[in-house]
Structures are given as C-alpha cells and as structure tokens.
Amino acid sequence: MAEKRLSKADSFYKVYERTPSAIKDVTHYCPGCGHGVLSKLIAEAIDDFGIRERTIFMSPVGCSVFGYYYFRTGNIQCAHGRAPAAATGIKRAYPESIVISYQGDGDLAAIGGNEIIQAANRGENITVFFVNNAIYGMTGGQLAPTTLIGQKTTTSPFGRNPANEGYPIRVSEMIATLEAPVYVERVMLGDAKNTNKVRRAVRKGLSNQIDNKGFSLIEVLSVCPSGWKMTPVQAKQWMNDFMLKQFPLGVYRDRSEEIPVRESQRHVFSVDGIRDKLELPKSGEQTMQVEKPAAEFMNPRLKLAGFGGQGILMLGLMLAEAGMRAGYHVSWIPSYGPEMRGGTANCHVNLSERRIGSPVVSKPTVLVALNQPSLDKFESEVAPGGLIIYDTALVPNPPKRKDVKVLGLPATTIADELGNTRIANMVVLGAYVGYSRILPKEVVFSALPALIKRKNLLPLNELAVEKGMEFVTRMGS
Amino acid sequence: MAKQLIKGNEAIVKGAILAGCRFFFGYPITPASEVAEAAAYYMPQVGGTFIQAESEVASINMVYGAAAGNVRVMTASSSPGISLKLEGLSYCAGAELPLVLVDIMRAGPGLGNIAPEQSDYNQIVKGGGHGNYKVIALGPNCAQEMCDLTMLAFDLADKYRNPVVILADGFIGQMEEPVEFPEAYASFPDKPWALHANADDEHRLITSIQLEPEMLEQHNIHLQEKYRIISENEVRYEDYMVDDAELVLIGYGVVSRILQTVVDDLRAEGKKVGMLRPVSLWPFPSAHIAELGDRVKNFLVVELSNGQMVDDVRLALMGKTPVHFYNRMGGMVPSPEEIYAQVKTIWEA
C-alpha cells in the first residue's frame, strides 16, 4: 500500500510549462472534476513502480487532451478516439515501454469504439484508463454514448430518448466478453473508500502491463459538474443515485493471477541474413547467353488469354522469368482482382532488347488463346504478320485472319496424355519457344524452379515443355 | 547483382525492409493487398512487426504511434482507403512524423472499381486532409522504382520529418518486372526528437495541437519554410528525348510507360517528340517545365483522371505555351495508338 503523501508526484512536471495558461502549477480541470484525482493516482503509481522513464502517456481528444501538460513521461497527443491504435504503434515499437491510454467516454465509446474493442481483442499490452462521466465535457456538455436515459445535455435538450439515441453503452461489460483482455474493472471516484479502490485498480492495471500480462481497462466513473450543470455536491449525489444503477461497479474480468509474468521482448534492429530472409537472388546467378530469333519474332508483345485455372498467368510469368534470364527487358501484367476468381484470365508480356515502354499490350505480335472466347475477343487485335497460338482441343473455330501466322496444337490433349491436364500451359510454352526460337530450352528449364514451388512437379513440367517443342518440330518436318 | 522478377507491390516491401523499415500496419484492399501480404510474410522474419489493423483509420493511427518512436514505419492502401487515412496523414504532417504511405491508386469516385486510375493526385499532392500541409509524393513507373523510391522515401521522411507518399497506380502495383535489389542499410540515423522509451522522453512531446493561434501560426510558418526547402532540393523528373523536342508529352506512372512507346514510334517517323515524367509529384518540377516552355511549341498532358496534374503544368507555364490534355477514366488505360492519334492532331493543327 502506498504511503500517504503530501508532495506532488515526481511523475508530474514540477511546473506545467506546456500550458498556455499564465498559471503553471494547476491543471485545466474544473472544480469538483475527477480527472485531477485519477491523474494523481496514476502519477503516484508510476512513481512507486519506478517506471516513469519508460512510460508513454497517450492524450487523445476530450478533457484528456492535455495529459501531456502534466505527466513527466514520454507524451503522444493523438486524434480523437485513436489512442488505442496509436498506443498499439508505439508499444509495438517499444515493447519494454509502459503505455497508458487515458480516454473519456466520447473518445473511447463513440468515435473510438472500434479502436478500443480491437486493441482489447488483440490483447495489446497496454493500460487503458476510461473516464466515464456520461457526457462530452471538453466540448461543453453534449450527449455521450454513456449519457443516461432522460439525461439532458446540449444535444439531448429534452433528455436522452432511447427511441432516438439508444441506450447508454456499458463498456466494461462489453470488453469483458472478449477473450484477450486480462483485467477489466469499473470503479468510481467518490468517497475515500471508493477512491482507494480506484488506487488499487490503477496499480493492478499498470502492474499487469509491467509483467507483460496483456490488456487492462479500468473504467472510472467520475462527476462532471460543469457538463452536468450542477454543483460538485449535487453531482456526487447524482452519480450515486443514477449513474451507479446504469453502471454497476465491480470486476468484470480478471485473469491477472492465471497469466504468468513475462519478459518483454525488446525490438532489436538487425540486418543479419536479410537477403536470404527476403529471398533475394544470389549475386552469382548469371544471365544466360542466347541466340537471337528471326527478326519477325524479335521483341514480342504477347497477350495470353483463357479461362481462370488454365495457368495463363503462370504461362506469362514463365516467359517473363525465362526472358529475364536470357538478358531481355521483360514485363508481365495481369488482369487482376475478381476476374481471376473463376472467369477469364489474361496477361500481357513483353520481351525486348530495349527498355520497355507500355507494359499494356494493345497490338500483340503474339496471341495465345486457350479458349474460344479469348480467340474471338482478341483475334482482331493481333498485329499483321503476328502469330496466333491456340489450343485445338478447346477452340473449335480456328482463327479467320489470313495476315497472321497461326499455330494450332492440341495442348490440353497432350497434357492429358502426360497425366495432368493442368500442364497444358507448359505445352503451349514449349510450342511457342520452339516455334519462335526466342528462348532455348535450357533457359526455360532454368526458369521453372523460380515459379514452381512443388519441386516434385518439375520433371513433369519439363516434359510438357519438351512435348510442345516436339510438336512444332514434327509440324515443321 | 542478379535481378528478380517481382510484382511492384512486393518490391515495395523488400525495398522498405532493405531501407530499415520494420513496422507495417495495413488493411487489405485491391489492388494494394500484396503490399500488406508481403509485409505480413517478411516482417516477422526480419524481426519486424506486421499488424492487420481493424480499419484504414486505425492503421494510419498505429503508424502515427510507431512513427513517434525511433523506428521506420509504413502502411499501404488504395484510393478509397487513402481517403480514410487522410485524417491521420494530416495529424502526422502536423506532428512532423516521418512515415511512408503507399497509394496503389484505383478508379473512383466512391467504391469505383479496382482498375488503375490516377485520380488521387489531388488528394495527395494538394493536401486532401485538413490544414496547411504537404507530403512528398513520389510516382514510380516500374517495379525497380517501387523498390528504389520506397527506399528513398524513408530517407526523405526522416530527413525532413515529413510523411512521404508513394503514388503508384494499379498497373505499376500489379506488374512484374526484373528488380535489382540494393544492399540493405546497416542502420539509419537516430531520430533525436523521437520517443526512445528512456529518461530523455520527459522532454519529448509528439503532438499536432497548438492551442494558441500565435503558436500555431509559428508552427505553420515553420512547416511552410520546411516545404520551401523541400521544393528547392527534392524535385525529381526524367527527360526522355526532350532536347530537340517541339512537342513534349507529360505523364507519370503507367502513363509515362505508354508515352515512351508513343515517343519511340513518333521518333521513328522523324517527329521531334519527347516526354517529361515527373518523378516527384510534390515537389512538382514546375521550374523545369517553365524552362521547357520557352522552347517547346506544345505540351500534351496525359492522365488517368479528370485532369489533376495538368493544373500544375498549366500553373508552371502561366499560359506561355499551349497545354493539351488527354485522359481516360474509370480504369480505362489509353493505348499508344490512341495517344499517337492525339499527337497527330496537335502536330497537324
């Protein structure tokens, strides 16, 4: 139990230099308000735990906005309702710090409702002091989520009407339904006995954080004589008569004893093994020298299209990966988003000897169409003299253009014969590189492991590429 | 060093980690989700933290909290999510917190769609949030720059204690290209003003509130002075065949890639056409454009928006050179042929 003391807590600034007021030794709180008492109990606890130097105090918006005038700690002033989020950020950066989020009812239960629920639910190792005075104090006495039924405020001038404004929110009860929070208690600032309970709750909430046990929320009922338009004595009576009925005091969740004391894991900046961890290529991996293809197949602009699931995007990536390994400038751009879930898929690939301009292929020199709709849609776009590759097993109506080269092959049938219909895309890849001679087999094979995660499938994919190449060789002979 | 074929969105995360970023607070949205996904995968492996926040609002405020410390921190989103983050961005700018925010722009307004647009230019370059603030905005146009400009962004953010935005579009985010990743920074400079969770913190306050108008005016004057210094020192752009150009195309992001193709095609015909690509969208290369305006006959600005950057081009030229404008919206991206036709019209007029 802390000793009774007469001097100001060491965890308050001796002089409140940051206040614009000419008077630098009193707080901005109104006479009779509970904030000053709660602040004092917190500051004394910080003193007694010896944690001042590593404490960071969050001041959001409300009467708590000027917490940084008083607390001789690290201070972050933050946006309305966002203290639990900002507290999460700084606590994650400094797990060894003690982060205090000090919030009022408008801030915590209205605009910051989601932030407090989610921070509690993540079990952030922070301590939240929630001052519930059933009103917006700082802005001059407006309706809060905690305003009582019938209570008159400047924005409920006829009294809170449930039909219009709903009912007062019981925050402690709500937070206590979550798994993660360690300790949730509602206390009140009033007589000496209750204030003692507040003192104990403050210390328990901080102690839990010091021991890295997790999230604690202490809801503190407090009077607001200014907002309620009462004298401090009337206000105290009103709190006893009405607020306590709506907001019963008590411990709503307490797992403090169950959870073991833990060491905080300091964040340590390190770059050890970072290139491996980021899966960056080894510097030894060299570009492979390749022979140039015939001029008509140089610098291809490809559009590849089919049904989602046919491996169209993978086919494009293989080409880009192999092209890069052959020293070409390459780009790959997919149709993305909902389109790739089910419907059609297409991608654009460029392989070029010089810096690539538009990655979007509007006039392809090569169209790969693995289904009829793709051929029908894109056939007219192909540049004169270009190449159309299509799967004869799936495209019953062949291309009609006479000014382009056409390569039809039963890719899906060949893939089925290999025992896996999903590698038809690799058969097409083999056919394209075999036909155009843009890339040798070795380069294509070297690219496969970069994209095929299941290494046991590599031989099958290689075989599929070879079958595609064989098809065009047979066709040509 | 060997290259890696990689999606722009992932290159951002690898670049960020190489630049010392270890904290990422995100929220999923197409077409930016791969940034969060890559951060979720790599951050824990490098001793960093990834949290999927409950909202864009919470995410930027988590960034606000972490950026108050001596660490490097970022988040990413796409247009509708950026709108939500702007409140927080204003606070970050006001409190002079360094952070990197990635915007992989999609089409709007409202939910719009997930295809690329450049209609966040105004909300990033002109403020968007409340107050007299500026953020440094960098517009990459390839996967390599997604890495390089992200690394630069962290340095600029710390150097000026200011948010830096990577303003890219859906195509630049989704595209895969080879990237050569530089060496990781062994460390980054200490931030003496930041919270360190130690005894010096009692003198440190992170805040955007200044209750007294006199003080807030002083703070604003200080910010404007900082922005002036940034304007003088951090303008970045790329000239492409502008030396003898009579007509200069201006575009950023994926548009600049299309414009390059158009310039190549027109040069092949002997037409003196070039391209200017602003890399820093704020500060904007106004002086350079004004200087080009003395010798160029026409400018054609192309944007995936209703015409946002074009205002800055016009301001830079103050009417001395004709500025033509061509745009697509709603996720439509112009083909080189479309722009070629526009240039022909100007050329033959």
Side-chain angles (χ1 to χ4, degrees):
Chain A
M1 203 51 231
E3 291 169 36
K4 191 165 181 150
R5 69 185 83 199
L6 299 170
S7 61
K8 188 157 80 173
D10 194 41
S11 294
F12 284 133
Y13 290 110
K14 293 213 167 19
V15 181
Y16 304 141
E17 299 286 359
R18 287 176 181 148
T19 176
S21 162
I23 306 159
K24 304 285 188 193
D25 60 352
V26 296
T27 68
H28 70 288
Y29 299 120
C30 309
C33 167
H35 276 294
V37 179
L38 179 59
S39 295
K40 174 171 169 280
L41 296 176
I42 294 170
E44 288 173 358
I46 295 172
D47 282 3
D48 291 345
F49 286 126
I51 52 173
R52 184 184 65 77
E53 294 183 351
R54 58 181 172 123
T55 295
I56 295 169
F57 193 91
M58 314 298 294
S59 306
V61 171
C63 288
S64 56
V65 70
F66 300 124
Y68 64 89
Y69 287 174
Y70 315 122
F71 282 90
R72 192 183 153 209
T73 58
N75 278 290
I76 299 180
Q77 195 286 316
C78 46
H80 199 15
R82 317 301 176 213
T88 297
I90 192 70
K91 182 72 184 189
R92 295 299 183 111
Y94 294 106
E96 71 277 22
S97 67
I98 301 298
V99 176
I100 295 171
S101 183
Y102 186 105
Q103 305 179 255
D105 41 25
D107 188 76
L108 180 140
I111 194 166
N114 198 16
E115 281 78 2
I116 192 63
I117 290 170
Q118 305 287 342
N121 195 45
R122 282 191 304 270
E124 294 295 339
N125 186 31
I126 61 173
T127 310
V128 178
F129 296 111
F130 166 43
V131 178
N132 177 357
N133 56 17
I135 204 151
Y136 279 66
M138 181 57 101
T139 43
Q142 294 83 9
L143 178 92
T146 47
T147 293
L148 302 188
I149 299 301
Q151 186 182 342
K152 288 182 180 174
T153 72
T154 59
T155 51
S156 59
F158 309 107
R160 181 175 193 158
N161 172 10
N164 197 50
E165 289 107 23
Y167 295 84
I169 292 177
R170 296 186 181 95
V171 169
S172 288
E173 287 86 335
M174 194 167 66
I175 297 294
T177 65
L178 302 171
E179 282 299 311
V182 174
Y183 169 53
V184 180
E185 181 171 2
R186 182 183 291 121
V187 289
M188 70 176 268
L189 285 165
D191 54 20
K193 187 174 153 214
N194 274 299
T195 300
N196 243 331
K197 284 187 180 172
V198 179
R199 176 183 284 116
R200 276 207 296 277
V202 164
R203 282 159 195 262
K204 186 163 179 170
L206 286 172
S207 161
N208 281 342
Q209 186 178 174
I210 293 165
D211 292 341
N212 296 292
K213 290 183 177 178
F215 183 91
S216 298
L217 181 141
I218 295 99
E219 177 175 345
V220 182
L221 302 185
S222 172
V223 298
C224 182
S226 304
W228 298 352
K229 304 192 173 29
M230 296 179 191
T231 66
V233 174
Q234 287 170 327
K236 218 165 240 184
Q237 192 61 47
W238 191 84
M239 180 163 70
N240 283 322
D241 292 349
F242 300 104
M243 271 189 88
L244 279 179
K245 289 194 181 67
Q246 177 66 30
F247 303 113
L249 304 183
V251 176
Y252 286 89
R253 188 168 178 81
D254 188 1
R255 299 189 298 132
S256 310
E257 296 305 315
E258 298 164 32
I259 299 173
V261 175
R262 288 182 275 228
E263 289 290 310
S264 61
Q265 303 291 315
R266 251 168 212 273
H267 167 66
V268 179
F269 182 82
S270 162
V271 293
D272 287 349
I274 200 152
R275 296 191 80 83
D276 287 340
K277 288 171 184 168
L278 291 178
E279 301 170 297
L280 300 181
K282 304 266 183 292
S283 49
E285 289 172 19
Q286 296 293 329
T287 301
M288 300 166 83
Q289 298 298 319
V290 299
E291 283 177 33
K292 287 183 185 179
E296 59 184 322
F297 296 115
M298 287 285 287
N299 303 327
R301 304 191 302 271
L302 299 102
K303 186 171 269 187
L304 308 101
F307 290 123
Q310 280 186 305
I312 283 290
L313 302 186
M314 178 61 94
L315 170 53
L317 280 173
M318 286 290 184
L319 267 171
E321 176 76 31
M324 176 183 76
R325 286 163 186 262
Y328 289 114
H329 294 268
V330 301
S331 69
W332 171 92
I333 197 164
S335 55
Y336 58 84
E339 267 190 89
M340 67 192 194
R341 286 177 267 280
T344 61
N346 71 71
C347 63
H348 304 196
V349 176
N350 284 281
L351 272 66
S352 179
E353 289 193 301
R354 55 185 304 267
R355 191 175 91 157
I356 292 164
S358 176
V360 185
V361 174
S362 52
K363 274 194 173 173
T365 60
V366 181
L367 170 66
V368 173
L370 295 193
N371 64 11
Q372 190 73 53
S374 297
L375 180 63
D376 296 346
K377 188 173 177 187
F378 298 121
E379 182 180 349
S380 62
E381 290 182 7
V382 180
L387 169 67
I388 296 177
I389 302 175
Y390 72 105
D391 187 346
T392 54
L394 300 176
V395 180
N397 306 317
K400 299 176 191 66
R401 292 269 299 266
K402 300 298 175 202
D403 60 342
V404 295
K405 295 178 278 292
V406 173
L407 168 59
L409 80 159
T412 301
T413 309
I414 295 171
D416 285 341
E417 285 165 10
L418 292 175
N420 190 339
T421 199
R422 293 170 60 91
I423 54 167
N425 59 343
M426 293 297 107
V427 177
V428 172
L429 175 62
Y432 169 60
V433 300
Y435 186 84
S436 65
R437 299 186 182 276
I438 180 107
L439 297 164
K441 187 170 79 177
E442 299 70 40
V443 175
V444 175
F445 280 13
S446 83
L448 296 182
L451 291 153
I452 295 169
K453 300 299 172 208
R454 288 169 63 189
K455 300 303 170 208
N456 59 332
L457 290 177
L458 280 174
L460 182 62
N461 278 271
E462 289 179 1
L463 188 59
V465 171
E466 280 181 330
K467 289 288 177 191
M469 297 181 88
E470 278 171 24
F471 180 87
V472 292
T473 312
R474 275 205 310 279
M475 196 179 66
S477 59
Chain B
M1 228 169 286
K3 290 185 175 182
Q4 182 166 49
L5 184 68
I6 190 169
K7 190 170 274 207
N9 280 345
E10 284 181 47
I12 283 176
V13 173
K14 292 191 180 186
I17 290 172
L18 292 173
C21 176
R22 294 291 182 276
F23 294 88
F24 189 107
F25 303 97
Y27 190 83
I29 181 169
T30 307
S33 292
E34 294 86 356
V35 187
E37 287 166 357
Y41 183 78
Y42 290 113
M43 280 298 178
Q45 300 187 54
V46 298
T49 295
F50 168 84
I51 296 180
Q52 181 168 322
E54 59 268 31
S55 67
E56 302 282 6
V57 173
S59 145
I60 190 69
N61 281 282
M62 288 176 185
V63 169
Y64 179 93
N70 190 33
V71 297
R72 287 189 161 182
V73 55
M74 73 181 296
T75 184
S77 189
S78 177
S79 310
I82 297 294
S83 301
L84 286 167
K85 287 187 196 290
L86 287 180
E87 177 209 33
L89 196 63
S90 167
Y91 280 71
C92 292
E96 295 190 86
L97 291 179
L99 62 102
V100 174
L101 166 64
V102 175
D103 181 1
I104 309 296
M105 290 183 282
R106 60 186 252 184
L111 207 48
N113 65 34
I114 60 172
E117 235 187 32
Q118 297 176 319
S119 48
D120 287 6
Y121 183 92
N122 279 352
Q123 74 167 350
I124 293 301
V125 171
K126 305 295 179 184
H130 60 285
N132 308 307
Y133 77 92
K134 287 281 185 190
V135 295
I136 299 170
L138 304 173
N141 82 341
C142 58
Q144 183 69 53
E145 282 191 353
M146 290 291 247
C147 166
D148 295 349
L149 293 182
T150 299
M151 294 183 76
L152 172 68
F154 280 100
D155 293 339
L156 294 177
D158 277 357
K159 182 176 179 186
Y160 294 105
R161 275 191 71 176
N162 207 70
V164 181
V165 176
I166 300 292
L167 192 62
D169 53 74
F171 273 167
I172 300 300
Q174 293 295 322
M175 184 167 58
E176 293 208 14
E177 287 183 316
V179 174
E180 196 172 314
F181 287 96
E183 285 299 332
Y185 297 170
S187 62
F188 53 86
D190 182 69
K191 312 180 194 195
W193 53 268
L195 298 179
H196 287 62
N198 65 22
D200 293 332
D201 277 2
E202 68 175 85
H203 308 295
R204 295 171 175 138
L205 167 64
I206 304 302
T207 187
S208 66
I209 191 173
Q210 299 281 354
L211 212 54
E212 297 296 296
E214 293 86 350
M215 283 171 69
L216 186 54
E217 186 180 48
Q218 282 311 308
H219 181 56
N220 269 282
I221 289 170
H222 156 73
L223 291 178
Q224 303 314 311
E225 174 61 10
K226 177 171 84 173
Y227 301 151
R228 189 188 61 75
I229 293 168
I230 295 171
S231 310
E232 281 180 7
N233 293 292
E234 306 301 344
V235 172
R236 287 170 169 81
Y237 57 85
E238 182 199 0
D239 278 341
Y240 187 72
M241 300 193 181
V242 298
D243 285 350
D244 61 343
E246 293 171 20
L247 188 151
V248 168
L249 309 176
I250 303 181
Y252 69 101
V254 72
V255 169
S256 67
R257 300 288 297 267
I258 299 162
L259 296 185
Q260 184 202 314
T261 297
V262 176
V263 170
D264 291 346
D265 291 349
L266 286 157
R267 283 279 169 178
E269 295 175 19
K271 299 269 192 305
K272 290 183 175 174
V273 176
M275 173 184 70
L276 165 67
R277 170 171 80 97
V279 174
S280 59
L281 297 160
W282 192 83
F284 195 69
S286 305
H288 180 60
I289 290 172
E291 179 232 328
L292 286 179
D294 293 332
R295 54 190 166 93
V296 166
K297 288 184 187 150
N298 283 287
F299 289 93
L300 171 62
V301 177
V302 182
E303 282 183 80
L304 306 182
S305 79
N306 59 337
Q308 301 190 6
M309 182 183 71
V310 68
D311 289 348
D312 284 331
V313 175
R314 289 189 177 120
L315 271 176
L317 290 164
M318 302 286 275
K320 70 179 163 187
T321 318
V323 176
H324 306 266
F325 179 62
Y326 186 71
N327 70 324
R328 296 299 299 264
M329 294 179 284
M332 295 301 291
V333 177
S335 66
E337 294 77 20
E338 247 178 284
I339 298 167
Y340 178 94
Q342 289 296 313
V343 174
K344 284 280 191 183
T345 311
I346 298 166
W347 200 269
E348 284 156 15

